Amino acid sequence: MWWKNATIYQIYPASFRDSNGDGIGDIGGIHSQLDYIQSLGVDAIWLCPMYDSPQHDMGYDISNYEAVYPPYGSVSDIEQLISACHARGLRILLDLVVNHTSDEHAWFQESRSSLSSAKRDWYIWRPARYDAEGKRRAPNNWRSCFGGSAWTWDETTGEYYLHLFATQQPDLNWENRETREAIYASAMEFWLRKGIDGFRVDTANTYSKDTSFPDVPVTDPRTEWQYASHLFCNGPRIHEYLREMAGVLRKYDAMTVGELPLTKDIEDVLGYVSAKEEKLDMVFQFDVVDLGTGADRRYSVEPRSWTLSQLKERVRATQRLMDGESDGWSTAFLENHDQARCVSRWGCERNVELWGQSAKMLAMMVASLSGTLFVYQGQEIGMVNAPASWGVEEYKDVESRNYYDFVRQTSNGDPVALAAARTALQHLARDHARLPMQWDASPHAGFTAPDATPWMRAHDNYPDVNVKRQALDGQSVLSFWKRMLAVRKEYPDVFAQGVFANVDRLEDDDEKLFIFEKRGEGRKLLVVLNFTESEQEAGLEAMLGGKGKLLLSNTGEGESLRLLRPYEGRVYLV
Ligand code: TEU
Ligand code: CA
């Protein structure tokens, strides 16, 4: 199983590299950077959706599974990319988005055309309810993940359709066997036959819903639409569907990594990833990336609402899948296209020293964890969130915009509430991951032609933070990532497969240091991370007992067993 010790590099096509100067990244741009990608020491790439789409949710609203969004290129460009990757020994994964399609998909067009359409039952249609005053109401009070009702009224046939995400993303009806078979043929086998190595499976636990669609209790009295995710995640038939899907994948020996929001208990997660279940090979748990987000609404929260002890606890939760008693497999990641940059969330941007130190320390943390490792484009050079000085109009994501509008409406435009919303977006929005990749110090960070207008503005810091500059500097974040990945590869039993344990030391260190062990075959790692801006007592002498070999350090300075510098991190082999 190639993926067990692998590192997978995630690419967001719109923002990676523009090869033709239209301001939008494309397949040609990805193809042109395969040398760079390979130089990182990764084993595979995962492309976010590049299918044809009206882009209401950046390609997670697919209008044709068997075509490529024309600004990105063509099916033949993907075929060429697949062969180019394989010729270098790189694997390639695509994104599988089959909870919903775009409302412009031919299936939905046909489904919505009449009550008797052959594809009517391919989506989830329900009649209206009427209240005491005879006013038309949605079938229930569920809120969509992007805010507002999860149902949209469709005039043509006088019914509502369900959409867990944006209005333009109607949910497919997985209860219908014919629909499932069409999904397998069009979204999966069409691409598997072209030789891809697997899929990242979008919202892998939402296909089965409670089909009685009950109302949920009111938890937010400001609005009619209530948090209902627990009713559409982990539904009654989800395991049956995933097993059926795995049957298709098996024919091609393809791997899967499923996105698993809102599945918290280890037993439930194991239901998806335990090898004997034969469903998904691994999943992305949300424990770590959800830390510090609002409980009811993701952005209803102050910046940095987390503690180090919580972070440790959540890391441990994802690592439990690897503790030897379970037959599951885990993933390690801190970023993806839905998350703000990890340095801005968990590290420090106060000055250039602390930025670099904390970017490397976070790299050390995530790359020392067990499971398959995922690195998101730009993470390897320590890209950070868009500056606080940028106006809210720079935020383009549907989730960001909907949230800001929601606050505007419910607060009657209160400037204090709007300022808080903007602060939260600056801290957590999905937009931050979607800024152009920073290649060099030329205009727009070298992402597109100098005279082009990139679809999102390049970060102000690109003259300092870019690939070209870091590639020449042996002490850069980029050089550190390369070293880190090489060392991880050298000792797979402790890095990718070791058994994780927190090392609890002095009580009052708990919110300052993160120390953990990884036990492998007759040896172990000791990872010591200082999460503060000040020096800390390390006390390593006692912990190592003269036996440890320093594998990695992020300081480039001599090692002191007594003191750790700000955001210093070390990995010892014991
Ligand atoms: O995300 C689904 C998801 O579970 C959400 O948690 C998402 O991260 C959301 O932004 C959190 O508030 C997947 C994709 O990764 C995301 O880009 C898509 O917008 C979404 O599905 C719909 O396809
Ligand atoms: Ca382009």
Side-chain angles (χ1 to χ4, degrees), residues 12 57 60-61 95 97 100 145-146 165 169 200 202-203 259 261 286 290 298-299 336-339 397-399 430 434:
Y12 200 64
D57 183 21
Y60 283 92
D61 49 327
D95 218 304
V97 189
H100 43 265
C145 297
F146 293 153
F165 293 90
Q169 289 168 300
R200 175 268 191 182
D202 191 56
T203 61
E259 191 202 23
F286 277 61
D290 272 351
R298 192 180 189 201
Y299 303 125
N336 63 40
H337 64 291
D338 293 333
Q339 301 298 332
D397 177 37
V398 55
E399 188 180 60
R430 308 198 301 177
R434 304 174 182 189

Side-chain angles (χ1 to χ4, degrees), residues 1-277:
M1 275 176 273
W2 66 268
W3 40 265
K4 287 213 160 173
N5 298 331
T7 301
I8 301 182
Y9 187 72
Q10 184 190 350
I11 297 178
Y12 200 64
S15 307
F16 190 63
R17 180 95 176 190
D18 175 19
S19 69
N20 63 353
D22 64 355
I24 304 170
D26 45 49
I27 309 303
I30 298 168
H31 203 135
S32 74
Q33 294 307 317
L34 290 178
D35 280 346
Y36 169 69
I37 293 166
Q38 201 155 30
S39 77
L40 301 172
V42 302
D43 305 280
I45 59 173
W46 145 31
L47 301 192
C48 276
M50 73 308 155
Y51 312 98
D52 205 2
S53 160
Q55 307 289 335
H56 292 287
D57 183 21
M58 289 307 294
Y60 283 92
D61 49 327
I62 298 168
S63 53
N64 184 352
Y65 289 108
E66 299 171 29
V68 170
Y69 179 51
Y72 292 162
S74 63
V75 171
S76 127
D77 291 332
I78 295 286
E79 288 168 338
Q80 286 169 38
L81 185 67
I82 297 171
S83 353
C85 286
H86 288 168
R88 297 163 173 264
L90 275 177
R91 319 255 178 172
I92 172 165
L93 313 181
L94 298 183
D95 218 304
L96 180 63
V97 189
V98 289
N99 175 69
H100 43 265
T101 66
S102 159
D103 60 348
E104 295 183 25
H105 195 293
W107 297 346
F108 187 71
Q109 296 291 319
E110 195 180 330
S111 182
R112 86 177 344 169
S113 65
S114 84
L115 289 172
S116 59
S117 145
K119 292 200 172 54
R120 184 63 174 180
D121 189 45
W122 284 36
Y123 292 82
I124 301 171
W125 295 98
R126 287 291 184 280
R129 295 191 293 187
Y130 290 90
D131 63 18
E133 286 97 63
K135 199 163 165 254
R136 195 186 72 228
R137 292 263 169 242
N140 67 23
N141 66 351
W142 292 8
R143 186 171 93 205
S144 95
C145 297
F146 293 153
S149 173
W151 299 90
T152 289
W153 174 252
D154 201 42
E155 281 298 336
T156 321
T157 52
E159 284 193 327
Y160 284 89
Y161 65 87
L162 178 75
H163 53 90
L164 298 184
F165 293 90
T167 322
Q168 300 89 347
Q169 289 168 300
D171 278 53
L172 284 157
N173 180 18
W174 277 70
E175 302 281 326
N176 184 324
R177 160 166 297 279
E178 212 192 337
T179 315
R180 297 202 302 276
E181 272 160 12
I183 292 169
Y184 305 148
S186 184
M188 296 171 63
E189 299 209 69
F190 179 83
W191 293 102
L192 288 165
R193 278 199 306 272
K194 298 191 186 299
I196 60 160
D197 300 284
F199 286 112
R200 175 268 191 182
V201 186
D202 191 56
T203 61
N205 57 0
T206 56
Y207 312 150
S208 166
K209 283 93 178 168
D210 177 341
T211 51
S212 67
F213 293 104
D215 274 329
V216 282
V218 175
T219 47
D220 183 352
R222 287 175 297 178
T223 147
E224 191 173 345
W225 315 118
Q226 304 297 321
Y227 180 88
S229 308
H230 51 292
L231 290 186
F232 53 71
C233 288
N234 315 307
R237 295 183 67 186
I238 186 64
H239 294 286
E240 178 195 333
Y241 298 156
L242 288 175
R243 197 171 291 125
E244 191 176 271
M245 197 160 115
V248 178
L249 294 153
R250 203 170 310 121
K251 290 193 273 176
Y252 301 87
D253 197 23
M255 70 78 97
T256 48
V257 48
E259 191 202 23
L260 212 64
L262 285 154
T263 308
K264 292 189 175 122
D265 292 341
I266 177 103
E267 280 68 33
D268 295 340
V269 176
L270 272 172
Y272 290 90
V273 292
S274 144
K276 69 171 179 311
E277 294 284 341

